[in-house]
Amino acid sequence: MTQQGVRWTAEQVLALAPDDASRKAGSRLGAAGPWSGSGCDGTGAVWGLCAGSGEQPYRTVVDTTGPAFLCGCPSRKFPCKHAVGLLLLWTGGEAAVPEGVAPDWVERWLDARRRGGERGGRDGTGPAGGTGAVADPEAARRRAEKRAGRITSGALELEQRLADLLRGGLAAAERPGYGLWEETAARMVDAQAPGLAARVRELGAIPGSGPGWPARLLEECALLHLLDRAWLGRDVAPAPLAATVRSRVGVPAAPQGPAIRDSWQVIAQYDTADAKLTTRRIWLYGRESGRSALVLDFGAAGRAPSVALPVGLAIDADLTPYPGAGQVRAALGERYGTPVPAGGPPPGTTTAQALERYGRALLDDPWLDACPTTLTEVVPIPPQGDAERWQLADVKGALALPVASGGVGRAGLWKLLAVSGGSPVTVFGECGHRGFTPLAVWSEGATEAVALT
Amino acid sequence: MDGDGEPKGATTAVSPPWEELVSAALLGTDRRPAAGTPEELLDTAAIQTVRRRAGLVPASAAGRPPAAPPDPRRAVPRAARRRLAQLLADRSAPAHAGGRRGTAPDLGELLPQWLALANERGMRAPAALLPALLDAARARTDLRPGALTFAGPRGLWLARHNPEWRFALRGASGSTALPDPGDTAGVQRLWQEGLFAERVAVLGAVRAHGPDAARALLAETWSTERAEDRLLFLDSLRDGLSAADEPFLEGALADRSRNVRATAAELLSALPGSALAGRMARRAASCVSLDRTGDGAAIAVEAPHECDAEMQRDGIAPRPPGGRGERSWWLGQLVESAPLDSWPARLGGRTARAVVALPVTDGWGVELHAAWCRAAVRQGNAEWARALLGAPSQPPGEGAGTGSLAERAKLLSILPQEERAEWVARFISAHGLSEAFQLLGVCVVPWAGALGRAVVDALEIARDAGSYPWSFSGVMGLAERCLDPSESPRLEALTAAPPEREGASPGAGSYWAEAFRRLVATLSLRLAMREELDACPPR
């Protein structure tokens, strides 16, 4: 099997679709009916003509090494249903989309794209240090100082508000019409501290989160206070901690340091969305370096983030970490070749080791909610009797991690249970103080991951 | 970490003030000055929080579920698995708005077929797709039998954990625990002690294995069963009914329950050699005779004047439903229960076809023919079914035989498959599609070549006649599910929009092209489904 010969699975294709509607529309187009002139080549390009409602069929082409998409349709979704449908057709094999020579219109786009690709990262972040593109370092420094000043006054204001809240008592936060959080979050946005704003907004959800909310609210208020104090004292903190504080507060930073080239296994990809922003989280595991990395991408309301990686495959790529102690976030750089099937799951741990690792990670970053974790030989236990939460229990011993509520969703948990069938499985997920959020599962001895998101 | 997320063990021991901190924070430092300033409270809480999180320990595990029983069936090939995921993902797609469906296949409609193909091949459901499969079966009862067979033991195991999938356990709880029909002790135990559904299941299994054993089982407890149970148990004799069942059924004719009596009579009348059938034949014969008074032979009917106790004992219902005369009601039941083989002798040695062709005096023809239709279906008599169906080219309502589509559909269903398809094909060639829907429904899938061609030709004729395709959406939908995929090359030519013609409905041509494109797409999908399932299994 050559690298280029690997066709993705339908699941991998569907994972690229920006939303449910596109998945459905794309699935309908994933049959030979509307397509003509479809083909693919050894460089990872897939193309075809799709009959639409108009006179002319739409020209659709996908560069699977990106992946990148182009389609003549007017859809603003990305990738559009035609691209999804074409890739689904391609997953069907040689009969549906044969290997061939790319027609001119495909070749032109590929050339333009790949020439552009050589100039730098497509997301504009590129490897830092290599660009040196800052036009006026002095002006940039002044802007950074000005911003830091604004954040400092924001942090002071936030401290004042937290103190007021604690003076009057957290009970006030439960009163109907208690509107402090939205207003405070807006003030933090004005202060150019989006990290603080996001945390403040999360505080607003806690009083409605069920029994035990005062303890959770106190925890989060305390950590917010800790972050405020850390920002104000960042000049005396060790450099890695200061970087962590800056990133938690929301000061933009370019990824730094040498890129890590590895065969990055794409373990999970999932989106969370609020009214304004869709956040895509992609977990990668370096098959050679043994590192875990998180690639984040964002889309404005209603639009899907543009980075999409095929879950279950491994990509040969450069990854550049962001600054900060214990950071797993990284930026995706140059990619080489086409994705290949990844082997089995990353090496894993027991439930106790997983919590121990999370505890140690808090040394570097006390604001860390969860860290990427692979549990081996665990059995999912559905809620029974009065219990409401799922558990992941070591197959040997009597210990278990509760599954974080509201993490992966009901469908994912049932899928997890179905794959396990009561037998031990390997589970990748995020492990932290809220519990374990399972994201992918391998049945015993299987190399192919089942995505739970 | 225990169930409610509170840490325990070391952390609670080391930090007793946490609960106090929370209550101080809740009330506020103004009311709890002992907690210090708000800043001091937050400082302490921050330390505690990080310490609590860093010191988290696992909870104790709840009872692990027992492992799912193994499923020895073979795995679904990889491409077929993807296809199933796609079909399941699409099932919740909204129904097609308006009359227009576009060119894309309706994947949800193909799901039953996919399941049937996989079950035919003895395949096991991919574990990861079980939840979606159970959800689909929950929403669509028509999917349940196929989906549950495919889901197998692991599907049942999974359903036990989720109340939303309880439906899966209802039908299956009996069948999983069913003893082997040869295991006399096991059968006896379940028959004596089982729940009603389990007893029905075990009776059916034993009946399929040996009809006599099942009857013996039933006879054991018959007198102590409740009336509604007796009815359902009796109904299980329908499969594998034979002359050996007659004594038992004769006994049931004296049952306390009217419904049990009626069912026993119906079963006996389906046995042409039974005493009841003989009695019915004599009664019916006394009402129907050859009338030679006119120019040619005809059938004269003299309906019964009363429904006596003997007739009622043999299952004749004395009270007609509203709007029907008593005498014709009794006649219909008599003729329906009389063996068809008794008529040629009674009516001058004629064949079934000749009997059906005879004119019937005084307007009794419809009544008599309808009763014969019911008799042919009940007795599974293909010769009479052919005679009563008449020629497919014959316009409904004219000439011999029945013109009713419902009766024709029933009669067709007892003919051999090929003959059925041939008959319907000729019907469609003669009359077009507007009345064919019901008849197509009894044909075997995929449609035989001649039938498929007749349907496609008729669709083309309908298009050329200038109507809109959604007037034929029922047949079009059936064609998508039932046409043999090998027909699709013939259809390619129809996918181009024909030039608009005078008198045609505006835009109809392009709508037809769209409908045919969808048909072709669906057929190629069905072909792909089949090929994927027949592909080499994954490593």
Side-chain angles (χ1 to χ4, degrees):
Chain A
M1 200 188 261
T2 64
Q3 288 205 343
Q4 280 76 14
V6 176
R7 294 184 190 228
W8 299 354
T9 68
E11 291 89 336
Q12 287 158 354
V13 172
L14 289 171
L16 299 181
D19 53 29
D20 248 17
S22 311
R23 256 186 290 280
K24 275 165 197 157
S27 297
R28 296 226 181 85
L29 290 172
W35 291 96
S36 58
S38 52
C40 58
D41 69 10
T43 71
V46 186
W47 61 85
L49 303 173
C50 186
S53 49
E55 287 283 297
Q56 292 295 323
Y58 298 127
R59 289 171 162 186
T60 310
V61 53
V62 180
D63 179 355
T64 56
T65 62
F69 312 92
L70 178 75
C71 182
C73 77
S75 168
R76 281 183 300 163
K77 288 188 176 164
F78 189 82
C80 68
K81 61 182 178 181
H82 304 101
V84 174
L86 176 63
L87 285 179
L88 285 174
L89 193 66
W90 172 66
T91 63
E94 183 69 12
V97 179
E99 296 229 358
V101 178
D104 286 349
W105 58 274
V106 172
E107 206 53 61
R108 276 198 300 277
W109 178 72
L110 286 176
D111 278 354
R113 210 189 93 68
R114 286 173 183 165
R115 266 203 315 277
E118 280 159 20
R119 281 201 301 271
R122 44 175 277 170
D123 53 2
T125 50
T131 57
V134 182
D136 180 353
E138 179 54 26
R141 199 188 54 77
R142 275 202 311 274
R143 272 200 305 277
E145 247 170 38
K146 204 167 163 196
R147 177 170 192 160
R150 283 213 186 115
I151 295 176
T152 299
S153 28
L156 288 170
E157 183 180 343
L158 184 54
E159 275 298 277
Q160 193 55 50
R161 294 203 176 202
L162 286 173
D164 290 346
L165 177 64
L166 266 296
R167 199 169 293 122
L170 296 180
E174 206 192 13
R175 273 182 221 133
Y178 184 83
L180 180 73
W181 307 127
E182 268 315 309
E183 188 204 330
T184 311
R187 299 284 302 153
M188 293 306 114
V189 172
D190 290 346
Q192 292 187 294
L196 293 180
R199 285 189 164 262
V200 169
R201 233 176 262 122
E202 276 172 32
L203 291 184
I206 296 179
S209 66
W213 69 265
R216 286 194 292 280
L217 185 55
L218 178 59
E219 284 184 339
E220 294 307 325
C221 285
L223 287 177
L224 193 49
H225 164 74
L226 188 66
L227 187 53
D228 282 336
R229 305 301 310 170
W231 170 262
L232 298 172
R234 67 190 184 285
D235 292 341
V236 295
L241 181 61
T244 300
V245 170
R246 274 196 297 272
S247 99
R248 288 289 176 195
V249 166
V251 178
Q256 274 174 15
I260 306 159
R261 181 170 174 180
D262 202 339
S263 172
W264 294 99
Q265 178 175 5
V266 186
I267 301 183
Q269 170 178 316
Y270 69 101
D271 294 348
T272 50
D274 62 23
K276 294 190 182 117
L277 191 72
T278 301
T279 305
R280 174 165 293 168
R281 299 164 71 84
I282 303 172
W283 281 111
L284 301 172
Y285 173 75
R287 303 294 300 181
E288 281 141 41
S289 63
R291 288 176 67 124
S292 292
L294 177 65
V295 171
L296 288 179
D297 194 27
F298 305 93
R303 297 206 58 166
S306 58
V307 173
L309 297 178
V311 173
L313 299 189
I315 53 169
D316 181 4
D318 284 337
L319 231 55
T320 313
Y322 278 85
Q327 268 286 1
V328 284
R329 188 179 168 198
L332 193 58
E334 184 82 14
R335 277 177 253 179
Y336 313 91
T338 48
V340 296
T349 63
T350 64
T351 58
Q353 286 166 340
L355 282 181
E356 202 184 309
R357 278 189 29 202
Y358 169 64
R360 256 204 302 277
L362 289 175
L363 284 176
D364 286 330
D365 179 359
W367 300 278
L368 184 69
D369 279 328
C371 44
T373 305
T374 305
L375 298 174
T376 40
E377 296 223 288
V378 284
V379 182
I381 304 177
Q384 28 192 295
D386 294 337
E388 283 169 19
R389 291 179 84 172
W390 289 66
Q391 285 188 330
L392 282 166
D394 293 320
V395 71
K396 299 184 189 96
L399 300 179
L401 292 180
V403 170
S405 51
V408 53
R410 171 191 167 280
L413 292 174
W414 289 113
K415 214 190 240 189
L416 173 63
L417 186 64
V419 169
S420 143
S423 299
V425 286
T426 299
V427 182
F428 173 86
E430 295 167 9
C431 179
H433 63 94
R434 296 193 182 107
F436 190 92
T437 301
L439 297 172
V441 58
W442 293 258
S443 56
E444 205 160 48
T447 54
E448 212 169 312
V450 173
L452 302 175
T453 50
Chain B
M1 258 189 242
D2 61 12
D4 59 5
E6 285 299 305
K8 58 183 188 184
T11 49
T12 37
V14 170
S15 30
W18 175 250
E19 290 309 322
E20 287 168 32
L21 275 181
V22 174
S23 77
L26 200 54
L27 291 170
T29 52
D30 282 353
R31 267 170 283 184
R32 283 285 178 89
T37 65
E39 288 80 7
E40 283 164 354
L41 177 56
L42 285 170
D43 280 341
T44 318
I47 295 167
Q48 294 275 347
T49 298
V50 177
R51 188 186 289 163
R52 276 156 56 84
R53 290 185 180 178
L56 285 172
V57 293
S60 53
R64 294 176 182 77
D71 189 338
R73 294 177 295 174
R74 64 201 171 93
V76 171
R78 186 182 293 248
R81 197 178 61 198
R82 281 177 226 151
R83 179 74 61 191
L84 175 63
Q86 238 174 303
L87 296 179
L88 287 169
D90 194 67
R91 80 184 164 79
S92 48
H96 309 282
R100 204 172 157 195
R101 291 179 45 204
T103 58
D106 186 346
L107 298 185
E109 287 302 316
L110 295 178
L111 192 50
Q113 206 165 93
W114 193 99
L115 291 172
L117 290 173
N119 284 334
E120 270 170 30
R121 287 160 179 72
M123 289 172 167
R124 132 172 72 90
L129 293 177
L130 282 173
L133 188 65
L134 288 169
D135 279 343
R138 176 171 179 245
R140 276 178 62 177
T141 42
D142 66 309
L143 282 180
R144 283 187 191 174
L148 291 179
T149 303
F150 186 53
R154 185 171 289 204
L156 283 186
W157 177 89
L158 191 63
R160 241 168 255 137
H161 294 284
N162 186 341
E164 287 186 5
W165 296 329
R166 207 166 274 156
F167 70 90
L169 308 175
R170 277 197 293 274
S173 59
S175 62
T176 46
L178 221 51
D180 185 274
D183 168 13
T184 321
V187 164
Q188 270 298 336
R189 194 166 49 247
L190 200 58
W191 179 247
Q192 298 290 347
E193 298 164 12
L195 301 170
F196 177 69
E198 292 168 331
R199 300 183 66 209
V200 170
V202 78
L203 187 64
V206 173
R207 177 80 177 172
H209 191 245
D212 296 347
R215 206 175 46 249
L217 202 61
L218 194 50
E220 254 174 62
T221 56
W222 182 251
S223 57
T224 60
E225 305 286 358
R226 301 181 316 153
E228 55 265 46
D229 296 357
R230 288 203 301 280
L231 185 62
L232 282 167
F233 288 144
L234 195 61
D235 209 52
S236 71
L237 297 187
R238 204 176 286 276
D239 293 329
L241 187 68
S242 75
D245 296 315
E246 191 183 349
F248 185 83
L249 291 170
E250 272 288 340
L253 281 178
D255 199 271
R256 293 187 300 281
S257 154
R258 191 165 55 86
N259 287 333
V260 173
R261 293 199 298 273
T263 301
E266 189 202 327
L267 290 172
L268 280 170
S269 70
L271 289 171
S274 70
L276 179 132
R279 294 196 291 277
M280 288 298 189
R282 280 192 295 284
R283 290 186 189 112
S286 72
C287 300
V288 179
S289 57
L290 214 49
D291 172 15
R292 298 182 204 272
T293 54
D295 292 339
I299 293 176
V301 172
E302 178 69 22
H305 290 276
E306 59 166 350
C307 182
D308 60 29
E310 283 298 301
M311 280 165 73
Q312 290 189 37
R313 182 184 174 276
D314 282 348
I316 305 292
R319 297 258 160 274
R324 294 202 55 179
E326 281 184 331
R327 293 181 60 204
S328 72
W329 171 244
W330 297 330
L331 174 79
Q333 292 182 80
L334 288 180
V335 173
E336 176 184 350
S337 306
L340 288 163
D341 297 340
S342 65
W343 293 112
R346 174 72 185 159
L347 299 173
R350 288 176 170 80
T351 61
R353 198 176 293 277
V355 168
V356 171
L358 284 174
V360 182
T361 58
D362 301 330
W364 282 102
V366 172
E367 200 73 53
L368 187 62
H369 282 164
W372 276 336
C373 285
R374 294 196 296 275
V377 173
R378 185 184 289 186
Q379 294 166 32
N381 190 317
E383 190 202 346
W384 276 81
R386 274 179 212 115
L388 289 159
L389 267 170
S393 55
Q394 169 192 311
E398 278 177 38
T402 177
S404 146
L405 286 170
E407 280 173 357
R408 284 181 148 179
K410 282 191 195 135
L411 291 170
L412 278 171
S413 66
I414 60 173
L415 293 185
Q417 294 178 15
E418 307 81 44
E419 196 179 341
R420 225 183 291 175
E422 179 67 26
W423 197 95
V424 177
R426 284 168 54 205
F427 179 90
I428 290 170
S429 304
H431 309 298
L433 289 170
S434 48
E435 308 209 68
F437 186 77
Q438 220 171 347
L439 303 178
L440 284 169
V442 298
C443 293
V444 176
V445 177
W447 288 339
L451 178 57
R453 281 191 291 281
V455 171
V456 173
D457 288 347
L459 285 171
E460 191 177 355
I461 290 166
R463 181 193 68 172
D464 294 345
S467 52
Y468 283 116
W470 41 86
S471 314
F472 298 90
S473 59
V475 171
M476 196 57 112
L478 267 184
E480 285 168 23
R481 291 198 293 279
C482 308
L483 261 185
D484 193 315
S486 63
E487 292 290 324
S488 63
R490 287 170 34 81
L491 290 164
E492 291 287 356
L494 297 171
T495 56
E500 196 101 336
R501 276 193 318 212
E502 213 166 318
S505 312
S510 57
Y511 291 132
W512 275 104
E514 189 176 88
F516 280 120
R517 277 213 294 274
R518 185 179 63 243
L519 182 56
V520 170
T522 307
L523 293 186
S524 65
L525 199 59
R526 283 175 46 216
L527 190 63
M529 271 167 36
R530 192 179 290 269
E531 285 170 357
E532 286 161 0
L533 280 163
D534 288 331
C536 292
R539 302 149 285 145

